[in-house]
Amino acid sequence: MSSKTDADVVIDGKVYTLSGYESPEYLQKVATYINNKIAELESMADYRYIPQAMKGTLIELNIADDYFKAKEKAEKLELDLEVREKELYDLKHDLISNQIKNESAETSMKELEARNQELLLNKARLEAALEDKLLDGKGSSKSRTERQSHSGSTGKATGATPASQHGGDSENGKSEDSKAENGKTEDNKAENRRTSSGKTDGSTVENTKTSSSKRFL
């Protein structure tokens, strides 16, 4: 504990010795404050007509009034300080929360960028695979078209062979018909020869009979 200090002060024209644990400067400030209050009251027109005992009481009342007003002001300042401190705490909390969110957003952005790069690579692979598939499809279609063209040509050649065979059979049929007609012609000729021969023989026999009859006559 600090030691007491003494200070001689002048209050309302009288010298007083004040003792306390505060500094002499502070004690002089208190004495100055009381002198100012006395001077403020003396400036009032009715103050001089007030009895001396009441003057002291009036000074005390004014000092008490200043005290409570200062105290109320201090309390208000303390409340304001608490509100400001709370606001500052909230701001710090929001700042920390925003920093965490920013860090999380940066991490998410990096992950999204990596994912985007992966998707771009997959897209490039799929496009290359699709292009290769389309090229293979065009090659296969061309091969099928060539095979179909070759098969069509073979089918036409194969189809022409039966027609040729049919034509040949028709020609053979015609030859057989001609041979049959020739056979009929030969048969008719043989029949005619037989008929002629028969007639000739008949005539010969008849002539023989006639000759014989003539001889017997």
Side-chain angles (χ1 to χ4, degrees):
M1 177 180 286
S2 60
S3 59
K4 285 186 176 182
T5 58
D6 296 331
D8 293 333
V9 297
V10 177
I11 299 174
D12 194 20
K14 297 178 181 179
V15 178
Y16 296 92
T17 301
L18 300 179
S19 298
Y21 295 101
E22 290 80 6
S23 63
E25 291 80 7
Y26 176 79
L27 296 176
Q28 290 292 338
K29 184 185 290 186
V30 171
T32 301
Y33 172 76
I34 293 172
N35 287 326
N36 290 333
K37 293 305 291 182
I38 293 171
E40 181 181 349
L41 291 172
E42 287 179 349
S43 64
M44 299 172 63
D46 296 336
Y47 181 77
R48 68 185 64 183
Y49 300 107
I50 297 173
Q52 189 64 33
M54 291 184 65
K55 288 181 179 178
T57 304
L58 186 60
I59 292 172
E60 293 172 355
L61 289 173
N62 279 276
I63 292 172
D65 180 60
D66 290 343
Y67 166 77
F68 283 108
K69 286 181 179 178
K71 184 179 180 181
E72 182 180 0
K73 187 176 181 179
E75 290 176 352
K76 186 177 180 180
L77 290 173
E78 288 179 357
L79 291 175
D80 291 341
L81 182 59
E82 289 179 0
V83 172
R84 296 294 177 84
E85 287 179 352
K86 186 177 182 302
E87 290 177 353
L88 182 61
Y89 174 80
D90 292 338
L91 289 174
K92 288 181 178 180
H93 182 270
D94 292 340
L95 180 61
I96 295 172
S97 179
N98 289 330
Q99 288 178 349
I100 294 172
K101 288 180 180 179
N102 288 333
E103 292 176 357
S104 178
E106 289 177 357
T107 304
S108 298
M109 186 173 66
K110 290 180 180 179
E111 291 177 354
L112 289 174
E113 288 178 354
R115 180 62 178 168
N116 189 28
Q117 292 294 331
E118 184 179 355
L119 290 174
L120 290 175
L121 292 174
N122 290 332
K123 180 183 177 183
R125 294 192 192 99
L126 290 172
E127 288 177 350
L130 180 60
E131 185 177 358
D132 294 338
K133 190 171 182 180
L134 289 174
L135 292 175
D136 293 339
K138 289 181 179 179
S140 300
S141 178
K142 186 176 180 181
S143 299
R144 286 196 298 271
T145 302
E146 291 177 353
R147 287 198 298 271
Q148 289 175 358
S149 299
H150 180 69
S151 299
S153 300
T154 306
K156 288 180 181 180
T158 305
T161 301
S164 300
Q165 290 177 354
H166 181 70
D169 292 340
S170 298
E171 292 294 329
N172 292 331
K174 290 180 180 180
S175 298
E176 294 295 330
D177 292 340
S178 297
K179 289 180 181 181
E181 290 292 330
N182 292 330
K184 288 181 180 181
T185 303
E186 292 295 330
D187 291 339
N188 290 331
K189 287 181 179 180
E191 184 66 28
N192 290 331
R193 282 197 297 273
R194 284 195 299 272
T195 303
S196 298
S197 176
K199 289 181 179 181
T200 303
D201 291 341
S203 299
T204 303
V205 171
E206 188 65 30
N207 290 330
T208 302
K209 286 181 179 182
T210 303
S211 298
S212 297
S213 299
K214 286 180 179 182
R215 282 193 302 271
F216 287 108
L217 289 177

